[in-house]
Amino acid sequence: MTFGDLKRERQPGVVRLGEGAGFSGAWVDPAVDLAKRGNLDYLLFECLAERTIALAQLSRLNDPSGGYDPHLARRMEAVLPYCWPSGTRILTNSGAANPLGAGERIVAIARKLGFTGLRVGVVTGDDVLDALDLDTSVIAETGQTLREIAPALVSANAYIGAEPLIEALDQSYAVSFVPGHIDGHGPPEFASPAEAADIVDHMRTISAPYGTMLDVAGAEVQVRLA
């Protein structure tokens, strides 16, 4: 089977997924091929890890308008001309330390490309720096309190679970940005809303004793229109 053979009509009950990136520096061309010829329902860009978001937070300290993935604009300019007309929806955590800024950037790109009515969902709520108790929070590796290292403390981000992303899918956003982290022990980003809700419940049950899922009450979905 050649790659061109993947082009077909969508079938009820079948969800076609494409992984456009597995890290921030992934090549753009394979994502374009998927968007152009994969006949996808969803195109995913997984661009973030713990070290990456720390670097993004440092970047935003130097430039408050930055802090999202440096390759975001190039990727969206390349794939939106294929995704938007075909109805392929994009899911990504490229928002990093500034998901709202990333969403605004995508709106600007969509307008430049002449797309109107494109909905960009932005998930916020993973930044918990202001919620930390510096005197009682202790670094496990050193035994120091956060107060002792406060001058060097840049950011604190939480795994927020998948519910806000499901909400964005339910609201039919063409592009959904999540912030720092979707829990690595949680549901896959490509699950349908109904499937993902079931998986969330299951994973919360089995992971609760190990503290692997942290839901942030402030997580919410915001929308931007092109």
Side-chain angles (χ1 to χ4, degrees):
M1 177 183 288
T2 65
F3 194 82
D5 293 331
L6 292 177
K7 184 67 177 177
R8 61 175 174 78
E9 294 297 324
R10 293 189 174 97
Q11 301 175 9
V14 175
V15 178
R16 293 178 64 83
L17 314 169
E19 182 62 55
F23 69 106
S24 177
W27 291 353
V28 175
D29 289 349
V32 175
D33 281 340
L34 285 169
K36 186 176 181 180
R37 297 185 286 175
N39 196 29
L40 301 175
D41 294 288
Y42 302 98
L43 180 58
L44 316 178
F45 292 93
E46 165 57 72
C47 299
L48 210 61
E50 285 79 3
R51 185 179 72 91
T52 321
I53 195 168
L55 293 173
Q57 293 283 11
L58 288 172
S59 174
R60 194 176 186 190
L61 287 177
N62 294 324
D63 177 9
S65 67
Y68 49 82
D69 188 276
H71 306 294
L72 170 69
R74 184 162 61 97
R75 286 194 174 103
M76 296 300 107
E77 288 171 348
V79 301
L80 274 177
Y82 303 106
C83 290
W84 176 238
S86 68
T88 298
R89 296 162 72 184
I90 298 170
L91 304 176
T92 181
N93 54 10
S94 299
N98 188 6
L100 287 173
E104 296 288 359
R105 185 69 183 275
I106 295 308
V107 169
I109 290 172
R111 288 172 175 162
K112 183 180 72 172
L113 294 173
F115 300 147
T116 58
L118 185 147
R119 292 163 59 86
V120 179
V122 179
V123 177
T124 59
D126 72 313
D127 189 334
V128 295
L129 182 61
D130 292 339
L132 296 178
D133 187 328
L134 300 183
D135 296 309
T136 61
S137 299
V138 177
I139 301 172
E141 292 81 359
T142 66
Q144 294 172 289
T145 66
L146 292 182
R147 178 75 64 188
E148 294 176 77
I149 65 162
L153 187 60
V154 174
S155 65
N157 295 83
Y159 292 96
I160 65 173
E163 289 94 334
L165 184 58
I166 298 170
E167 181 182 345
L169 293 175
D170 282 340
Q171 296 185 33
S172 300
Y173 296 136
V175 184
S176 297
F177 283 96
V178 300
H181 295 78
I182 286 293
D183 191 337
H185 298 275
E189 295 180 8
F190 51 77
S192 70
E195 292 170 334
D198 290 339
I199 298 172
V200 166
D201 290 339
H202 173 67
M203 294 309 297
R204 179 177 289 109
T205 299
I206 65 174
S207 66
Y210 308 100
T212 55
M213 180 173 284
L214 172 63
D215 294 316
V216 177
E220 63 177 338
V221 175
Q222 304 182 41
V223 64
R224 297 290 186 273
L225 298 177

